[in-house]
Amino acid sequence: MKHHSAARSTCSDPDDQLLARQLAALSHPARLALLRCLGERDACCVKDLVGRVGLAQSTVSQHIRTLLDAGLVTYTPDRQASRYSLNSEALSAVAGSLDQIVQSVCSGCCGGKGRTGT
Amino acid sequence: MKHHSAARSTCSDPDDQLLARQLAALSHPARLALLRCLGERDACCVKDLVGRVGLAQSTVSQHIRTLLDAGLVTYTPDRQASRYSLNSEALSAVAGSLDQIVQSVCSGCCGGKGRTGT
DNA sequence: ATCGTTTATCGCCGATGAACGATGAAGCAT
DNA sequence: ATGCTTCATCGTTCATCGGCGATAAACGAT
């Protein structure tokens, strides 16, 4: 539980900033594809990923770095390669946070969900 | 000579594109704040929102439009004002889609590590 | 030491996003 | 009609993203 200090009306909590950053990391089809690749074959090296998403190696490296910066994947150097794995906890946390926001926001708006319809 | 024919799997599912677009709409603290405002007082007009997030009116209008374009809020003209409301169904759908991806991806990688109970 | 492989990073570019002020349309009130 | 309020849009400025090729570092192998 945290207090909403209403002192400032700009409701920009650091929590929201982190979540926004992580959602931004997820908001690109290529990165969703990369996550799926990592899900199928955990601990992929970049070259594997490059072969599967059809983008240049530098581009894949960039996307991976975005995911890494957001904490959604982990990095382990392995010989001359790099092994990237999913950070399941972080991923679950993001999904959970979004779900919680959606729940809270929707319950507040009309006492439940399932917006009217009638 | 790279084959861009990697089209078979992960490149660009229309589903992913939509989800990515909606996640992008959610990936800004100001827009999360706007959703919260709409949750507390459904059917806000822009001026209300401006007073609560501390941004210029034009900026708020822009953010609202981003949410509207993503289908996450609905618009109803009302007198000389505008009433924006949450689209609970769409919001739930986004959260659900993300959750499903995370589940599927994580179950593939290691049999599913637990959820952080938060 | 030299080569080949794998990777991260840099530089570059066009495109998009974020923020603002200013302007004009739409509606209510007088 | 005049004025006031509310809002969307336009134009501008600055920063970041997305994509690529090129390059250099790290490492294994020869």
Side-chain angles (χ1 to χ4, degrees), chain A residues 35-52:
Chain A
L35 289 183
R36 288 219 179 79
C37 290
L38 291 177
E40 295 173 13
R41 285 224 264 273
D42 196 32
C44 287
C45 62
V46 174
K47 194 203 174 204
D48 280 344
L49 298 171
V50 168
R52 307 185 86 187

Side-chain angles (χ1 to χ4, degrees), chain A residues 23-95:
Chain A
L23 289 176
L26 291 171
S27 69
H28 193 289
R31 292 194 287 266
L32 292 178
L34 288 175
L35 289 183
R36 288 219 179 79
C37 290
L38 291 177
E40 295 173 13
R41 285 224 264 273
D42 196 32
C44 287
C45 62
V46 174
K47 194 203 174 204
D48 280 344
L49 298 171
V50 168
R52 307 185 86 187
V53 299
L55 291 173
Q57 177 264 324
S58 57
T59 306
V60 172
S61 231
Q62 277 287 111
H63 283 306
I64 282 283
R65 176 167 241 285
T66 299
L67 292 169
L68 188 64
D69 286 346
L72 302 180
V73 304
T74 64
Y75 164 74
T76 310
D78 176 26
R79 313 194 178 262
Q80 79 264 40
S82 298
R83 315 210 70 93
Y84 288 99
S85 301
L86 297 173
N87 184 345
S88 306
E89 298 179 8
L91 285 168
S92 299
V94 175

Side-chain angles (χ1 to χ4, degrees), chain A residues 9-11 16 20 23-24 26-29 33 35-36 39 52-54 86 88 91 95 98-99 101-102 105-106 108-109 113, chain B residues 10-11 16 20 23-24 26-29 33 35-36 39 42 52-53 86 88 91-92 95 98-99 101-102 105-106 108-109:
Chain A
S9 49
T10 60
C11 335
D16 275 6
L23 289 176
L26 291 171
S27 69
H28 193 289
L35 289 183
R36 288 219 179 79
R52 307 185 86 187
V53 299
L86 297 173
S88 306
L91 285 168
L98 179 58
D99 205 65
I101 284 189
V102 166
V105 142
C106 290
C109 84
K113 72 159 307 296
Chain B
T10 46
C11 265
D16 276 6
L23 289 176
L26 291 170
S27 67
H28 193 289
L35 288 182
R36 288 217 179 79
D42 196 34
R52 307 185 87 186
V53 299
L86 298 173
S88 305
L91 286 168
S92 300
L98 179 57
D99 205 66
I101 285 189
V102 167
V105 143
C106 289
C109 83

Side-chain angles (χ1 to χ4, degrees), chain B residues 68 73-78 81-85:
Chain B
L68 189 63
V73 304
T74 63
Y75 164 75
T76 309
D78 175 25
S82 297
R83 314 213 72 92
Y84 289 99
S85 301

Side-chain angles (χ1 to χ4, degrees), chain B residues 5 7 15 42 54 56 66 81 86 105 115:
Chain B
S5 62
D15 268 355
D42 196 34
T66 299
L86 298 173
V105 143
R115 196 40 173 254

